[in-house]
Amino acid sequence: MPDSAVFVPHFHWDREWYEPFQVFRHRLVQALDTVLETAETDPDFRFTVDGQMAAVEDYLEMRPENRDRLAALVREGRLAVGPWLILLDEFLCSGETIVRNLRMGWAAAERLGGAMPIGYLPDMFGHVAQMPQILARAGIEHAALWRGVPGTVDGHAFRWRAPDGSEVRTEFLFDGYDNGLDVLLVPDRIGTALGEYAEMTARRWGGDPVLAMAGTDHSAPDPRLASWLRRAAEEGRAITVATLDEYIRQHVRDEVSAVVTGELRSHVRGNILPGVLSVRLGLKQRMALAERTVDHAERMNAMCSARDDSAFLTLAWHKIVESTAHDSVVGSGTDETCEQVAARLAEAAQTARAVRDAALAGPAALVPADGHLVVNPLTSARTALVEVDVVAPVEGSVLVARSAEGSAQPVQLVSEAPTVLSDERMDASQLERVLRRIHRRELFGRLIDRYELTPHSLVFHLAEVPTSGPFDLMVLRRDVAAAAAAHPGEWQVRTLTQARASALVPVRVPALGLTSFRVEASEPSAAPDTPVVPATATSRTLTNGLVEVEVASDGTLDVTGPDGTILYGVGRLVDGGDRGDSYNYAPPAADVLVSEPVRVVVDVLESGPLRARLRVTRVFAWPAGLSSDRDVRSEQNVPTPVEMLVEVRTGEPFIRVSTSFLNRCADHRLRLHVPLPERVNSSAAAGQFAVTDRGLTAEGGWGEYPLPTFPASTFVSAGPATVLLDHSTEYEVVEDGAALAITLLRAIGSISVNIHPLRDEPAASEIPAPGAQELGMRIEHRFAVVPAAAGWQGAHAVGLADEFRNEVLVARGSGPAGGQLPPAATGIQVDGEDIHVSCVRRVADDTLGAGTEIRLTCMRDTASVARLTGAFTEATTVDLLGRVLAPVPVARDGLELSLGPWEIRTLVLR
């Protein structure tokens, strides 16, 4: 039995949860005031600030006068801060966001006196496979965590190994991060209670002292804690008060035999609350959008702009990282909390969008106003289909797109806009009111090309790009006033615009580069320079020469891939009841599953040649909700049309699918099924710098039923079916391995329920969360389906997922109309199999100067070679905190890197 114990005073601080951020911050200020006073009064007191700098930043914003007091304690080693900015949900953000979280937290802690070099992860709902590598490549050798550790670990520590082989020694908080509180319940019995606890858990410690985490959620330890422990020590107990860092570095053995590889998602020693993956869909979508937008903004700012907008980008990243907190993006808070998270993510995206658009304005100014700029945010060249607004062709002509090199590409018209924007009749005395609509030359979002003024008639002709020379508003005002005075009575005022159309254009764009084109009229006999295999549609089929789709009678899809693999019944929708809460799904006792539509309608929307589309509308009769005892689905059904847009594009080896419906039902779960040709016993999902293989079951043993629902970020694959994803989502392989199910909606009405059929203990208080029912909300998803017999690697899913999630950026030219198109330009290009680039951004070093940071990951279990080319002559390897490691030789034709399986590598190019 251990004969000593180390108490670690701390708190765990959920920044927002069952109360919104500002309410919790008020408590935080009080708590840290108490910590400061206690530490300054009692030199034996130590405190660990939850591993996250957000709590410190939030405190100092209210108490800036206490910064020096905090810093003094940090420098003395009595207050442990960092290394994270915030304690995140690791599965609901990108791997790049995890890195930025660590980097921002570490930097903030260093400014205060130094970061705690422990990867403290106390309350996350499971842990991603690559976390050990992320920590190790930031120079962090230790971690400490609770949830998700498998039953094979029988001690209080283990070696946690990432897929690439990186390891960190990990302290297992097997009784949670508040295990010391039970010992402290009766201050006069601390010695006795500690002895009993040490005896109960003796097999875990192996001679190491007991770690007693003395703290819990949202409250500071009692100021008398250190004196209580001193009194217990006087009674013969070997008791030390320490920070978590001191415990791990000074009091335990470094040699640990147990090894765990990969992600931690076991239920055996704690609830991992997997239902958070699918509740409050909008937060997951906003997170993905914000991450994508700031990533594009960084790349555009690095490649296209002379202006350093790092302050705006830092702000955007900060708001994203704040929102990754494990009670924020997960959606397990109250409605007002979730609304604030959504607003913060929207603000992050807006900030990044401003930077992105400002960066694009420079190259757009070199493109004539009748042309379009196209920029590729990816580091590999691609052909992308872009949709732009153009002048409609006159009868007897067709449109073609021409690049700077003069090559002609086909154009597909998809819609035409009305030419009459207004037709009004008014008295002559009211004409001046019409002129107030004109702002210099703009009217109704277009520019006045010319106008016709005749007795009792004023006609405006608008254009995107005027061709009739200067326009003088003052002359127009004078002429209209004179005409109104000369011709009183009724006038007709018409506003006409150029005949416009939406056009699809295939554009070849260099790696992280740009090109431009203009659309112009041509003879019908003109042939494109690069013929394409057309995308076509019939009443129930789509094809592009690579993939084929046939709509079955029930509205599902039979999809044939490039290698002949056929997936039957794709898009089957299965709706069932959900009597659970924001943390855990639970079916009602008398569940009713609805999978057959009552009506199916198929419409052809576009028939090619560049894009072909069908709309499949299925009407389902879904129960309106649950009965009062929540164990029976309602007998009242709500007819719900679900639109499924199915699309193939020329040259793409997958089909695009979008679903949309207005949710008018409560307490239900809707999943989209992809049936598999043969049963499988595993799945693979791409996430944070890794593709993780999983079986059909999950390990249980605690108080939570181990549902095998799992997270996926960029794609999920089972057998020959790979689904590319727009945002992090939840999936399960169902029907004994016969189908892949992706959750589209989980509508529930409470943060937590006290009595849950699949969870023994409440996850929080039973607080209503009506907004999580998503009633009256339009639920939309987009994804792509890739049939391939060789699975995700044979389908090249890593690269396809990047292309699917990252559309090219398009901006209208702002230079003089009719001018010459600028030549295409290439940025940094990365070639290699299964190489994912998560970051390209400008950085500055006081010694080495400005450069471009790029982060690459080998996304497979065998080595790969990455070849980098571009306008750089020097390269340096840095760690994940940006610290220089070693120079990398650069040849005349670029740089070649050998990446080990699943290796993350960061370079700065100059």
Side-chain angles (χ1 to χ4, degrees):
M1 185 177 77
D3 59 2
S4 62
V6 177
F7 281 79
V8 175
H10 77 102
F11 58 40
H12 173 55
W13 207 271
D14 300 296
R15 195 167 185 260
E16 53 202 354
W17 183 17
Y18 55 82
E19 293 282 10
F21 162 59
Q22 295 297 355
V23 174
F24 269 137
R25 173 150 73 173
H26 191 268
R27 300 179 190 176
L28 170 69
V29 171
Q30 291 178 303
L32 279 178
D33 280 346
T34 300
V35 167
L36 277 180
E37 293 164 6
T38 303
E40 291 171 342
T41 302
D42 189 337
D44 290 339
F45 185 75
R46 301 285 193 273
F47 193 76
T48 299
V49 192
D50 205 27
Q52 55 176 334
M53 283 300 297
V56 178
E57 289 186 349
D58 294 340
Y59 174 77
L60 289 177
E61 191 174 350
M62 296 293 105
R63 294 278 195 269
E65 68 276 11
N66 287 345
R67 185 176 186 87
D68 290 344
R69 296 172 65 193
L70 273 172
L73 292 170
V74 172
R75 289 193 299 270
E76 293 169 13
R78 297 174 58 207
L79 191 71
V81 297
W84 301 101
L85 178 60
I86 206 160
L87 294 182
L88 72 163
D89 185 284
E90 300 167 30
F91 291 97
L92 291 175
C93 64
S94 70
E96 185 62 31
T97 297
I98 297 176
V99 172
R100 301 307 179 91
N101 186 344
L102 184 56
R103 183 176 282 200
M104 295 174 81
W106 190 275
E110 287 291 301
R111 291 192 293 270
L112 204 62
M116 176 176 70
I118 308 293
Y120 187 45
L121 306 162
D123 198 28
M124 287 73 166
F125 307 150
H127 304 278
V128 298
Q130 287 280 41
M131 184 58 76
Q133 184 180 181
I134 292 171
L135 295 175
R137 288 184 181 258
I140 297 174
E141 300 174 342
H142 298 268
L145 50 82
W146 169 31
R147 304 182 195 265
V149 178
T152 55
V153 175
D154 56 8
H156 72 101
F158 61 95
R159 304 294 303 179
W160 187 14
R161 183 177 296 161
D164 78 312
S166 301
E167 289 186 355
V168 289
R169 181 199 177 279
T170 302
E171 187 67 26
F172 177 25
L173 309 176
F174 59 89
D175 269 348
Y177 53 79
D178 59 355
N179 70 316
L181 290 188
D182 288 347
V183 174
L184 301 172
L185 279 175
V186 181
D188 291 338
R189 293 191 71 254
I190 289 176
T192 303
L194 179 59
E196 293 170 351
Y197 181 74
E199 184 176 1
M200 288 168 49
T201 59
R203 65 181 184 85
R204 288 273 179 187
W205 302 108
D208 286 336
V210 170
L211 170 61
M213 298 293 290
T216 189
D217 296 357
H218 317 135
S219 61
D222 193 294
R224 297 167 292 176
L225 173 63
S227 64
W228 293 344
L229 295 176
R230 279 193 296 269
R231 189 163 65 243
E234 291 170 357
E235 297 170 359
R237 290 291 175 187
I239 293 175
T240 304
V241 178
T243 64
L244 181 63
D245 182 31
E246 289 173 328
Y247 171 78
I248 290 174
R249 292 182 176 276
Q250 299 175 15
H251 295 278
V252 297
R253 295 164 296 125
D254 231 3
E255 302 80 17
V256 178
S257 58
V259 177
V260 177
T261 299
E263 71 175 358
L264 306 179
R265 288 195 64 83
S266 170
H267 307 254
V268 73
R269 290 294 303 181
N271 297 337
I272 65 169
L273 310 169
V276 298
L277 298 171
S278 51
V279 74
R280 305 237 192 213
L281 163 71
L283 292 182
K284 282 64 172 176
Q285 293 175 324
R286 285 181 181 271
M287 175 61 71
L289 176 62
E291 289 176 324
R292 187 160 53 239
T293 307
V294 74
D295 177 36
H296 292 177
E298 283 190 329
R299 297 181 187 217
M300 296 306 100
N301 185 249
M303 306 307 296
C304 301
S305 177
R307 172 176 169 170
D308 181 3
D309 270 328
S310 57
F312 289 95
L313 294 167
T314 298
L315 174 64
W317 271 116
H318 200 287
K319 290 185 178 296
I320 289 171
V321 171
E322 288 176 67
S323 303
T324 65
H326 64 287
D327 285 303
S328 296
V329 69
V330 299
S332 60
T334 60
D335 288 353
E336 59 181 341
T337 294
C338 293
E339 288 164 4
Q340 290 178 335
V341 177
R344 189 185 303 129
L345 287 169
E347 192 174 350
Q350 293 155 8
T351 304
R353 190 179 73 209
V355 174
R356 180 200 67 193
D357 293 350
L360 294 179
L366 303 177
V367 177
D370 57 343
H372 290 86
L373 172 74
V374 183
V375 184
N376 181 10
L378 298 182
T379 54
S380 55
R382 63 200 289 201
T383 296
L385 200 60
V386 302
E387 187 168 345
V388 294
D389 179 68
V390 299
V391 177
V394 298
E395 189 175 350
S397 69
V398 297
L399 296 180
V400 296
R402 295 195 181 276
S403 65
E405 293 74 27
S407 62
Q409 297 294 335
V411 170
Q412 176 182 332
L413 295 182
V414 293
S415 67
E416 295 197 33
T419 57
V420 179
L421 300 185
S422 71
D423 190 346
E424 306 167 272
R425 295 184 181 276
M426 63 188 66
D427 188 79
S429 62
Q430 302 298 309
L431 291 177
E432 174 61 26
R433 295 174 58 189
V434 173
L435 302 186
R436 292 179 201 160
R437 301 171 182 166
I438 302 170
H439 302 277
R440 290 171 293 280
R441 193 168 188 165
E442 181 270 329
L443 176 61
F444 297 158
R446 292 198 170 37
L447 299 178
I448 296 175
D449 186 35
R450 58 190 174 86
Y451 60 89
E452 299 167 359
L453 180 62
T454 57
H456 299 286
S457 175
L458 174 59
V459 181
F460 293 105
H461 295 270
L462 310 184
E464 287 283 328
V465 181
T467 59
S468 60
F471 168 78
D472 192 328
L473 181 57
M474 298 308 295
V475 170
L476 174 63
R477 289 178 183 273
R478 183 196 64 201
D479 292 349
V480 168
H487 304 283
E490 186 178 76
W491 277 63
Q492 182 181 30
V493 180
R494 304 181 74 210
T495 306
L496 310 179
T497 187
Q498 255 178 334
R500 309 293 299 181
S502 290
L504 295 173
V505 180
V507 182
R508 184 67 180 171
V509 200
L512 203 60
L514 51 85
T515 190
S516 60
F517 70 92
R518 60 160 54 93
V519 175
E520 56 190 40
S522 181
E523 295 295 325
S525 58
D529 295 336
T530 308
V532 299
V533 177
T536 60
T538 68
S539 61
R540 299 186 81 88
T541 65
L542 297 171
T543 185
N544 65 358
L546 293 173
V547 290
E548 298 179 3
V549 183
E550 182 172 355
V551 182
S553 59
D554 63 355
T556 62
L557 311 174
D558 298 338
V559 185
T560 304
D563 64 356
T565 298
I566 304 177
L567 303 176
Y568 294 97
V570 172
R572 179 173 179 252
L573 297 178
V574 180
D575 184 78
D578 190 342
R579 60 149 301 169
D581 52 31
S582 63
Y583 292 101
N584 296 80
Y585 159 80
D591 200 5
V592 174
L593 297 181
V594 179
S595 61
E596 297 301 321
V598 295
R599 188 167 71 254
V600 178
V601 178
V602 182
D603 299 301
V604 178
L605 300 183
E606 297 173 16
S607 54
L610 302 177
R611 183 175 74 189
R613 284 176 162 179
L614 297 177
R615 181 177 60 218
V616 181
T617 304
R618 289 172 286 178
V619 180
F620 294 89
W622 291 338
L626 295 179
S627 61
S628 58
D629 65 1
R630 301 184 58 75
D631 268 330
V632 178
R633 295 195 81 180
S634 170
E635 294 182 1
Q636 176 189 354
N637 290 329
V638 179
T640 304
V642 180
E643 291 186 355
M644 183 166 64
L645 185 66
V646 190
E647 173 183 322
V648 296
R649 298 182 181 183
T650 180
E652 287 189 342
F654 52 79
I655 70 165
R656 296 173 181 258
V657 178
S658 301
T659 59
S660 174
F661 66 93
L662 184 68
N663 183 47
R664 297 191 294 150
C665 301
D667 301 306
H668 68 126
R669 180 180 70 173
L670 177 67
R671 301 205 285 189
L672 181 141
H673 284 218
V674 180
L676 306 172
E678 297 180 357
R679 294 185 187 276
V680 300
N681 56 20
S682 66
S683 64
Q688 297 68 23
F689 302 127
V691 180
T692 302
D693 292 322
R694 302 182 176 112
L696 303 188
T697 60
E699 183 182 34
W702 189 247
E704 179 180 62
Y705 186 83
L707 284 176
T709 52
F710 297 112
S713 292
T714 58
F715 67 80
V716 57
S717 184
T722 297
V723 181
L724 312 180
L725 303 169
D726 176 67
H727 60 273
S728 296
T729 192
E730 170 192 272
Y731 78 92
E732 182 181 0
V733 177
V734 297
E735 300 171 15
D736 295 324
L740 174 65
I742 297 172
T743 305
L744 301 185
L745 173 68
R746 218 166 58 80
I748 51 89
S750 182
I751 289 180
S752 175
V753 294
N754 292 336
I755 305 301
H756 192 293
L758 301 184
R759 189 185 66 228
D760 286 351
E761 60 178 319
S765 299
E766 192 167 271
I767 300 173
Q773 293 283 15
E774 308 282 9
L775 290 169
M777 300 298 293
R778 182 153 290 279
I779 307 302
E780 298 179 327
H781 286 266
R782 74 180 191 100
F783 39 85
V785 180
V786 192
W792 66 268
Q793 285 187 292
H796 305 289
V798 171
L800 291 182
D802 278 343
E803 290 196 13
F804 176 70
R805 295 190 82 165
N806 296 275
E807 298 282 359
V808 294
L809 309 174
V810 183
R812 191 175 194 90
S814 58
Q820 187 172 357
L821 293 170
T826 302
I828 297 171
Q829 179 165 325
V830 179
D831 297 307
E833 288 292 323
D834 296 325
I835 300 294
H836 171 63
V837 176
S838 65
C839 162
V840 181
R841 65 170 187 147
R842 70 197 310 162
V843 292
D845 183 276
D846 293 339
T847 302
L848 300 176
T852 302
E853 183 179 81
I854 181 168
R855 193 159 10 263
L856 310 93
T857 305
C858 174
M859 294 284 285
R860 67 184 193 189
D861 57 7
T862 57
S864 187
V865 175
R867 296 174 182 84
L868 285 71
T869 55
F872 60 90
T873 57
E874 300 177 8
T876 307
T877 302
V878 299
D879 71 5
L880 288 183
L881 298 179
R883 298 173 298 202
V884 173
L885 297 177
V888 180
V890 177
R892 188 174 292 179
D893 60 348
L895 166 64
E896 188 170 287
L897 283 180
S898 294
L899 297 177
W902 309 111
E903 181 184 355
I904 305 167
R905 187 85 66 88
T906 308
L907 302 173
V908 175
L909 308 176
R910 293 180 171 87

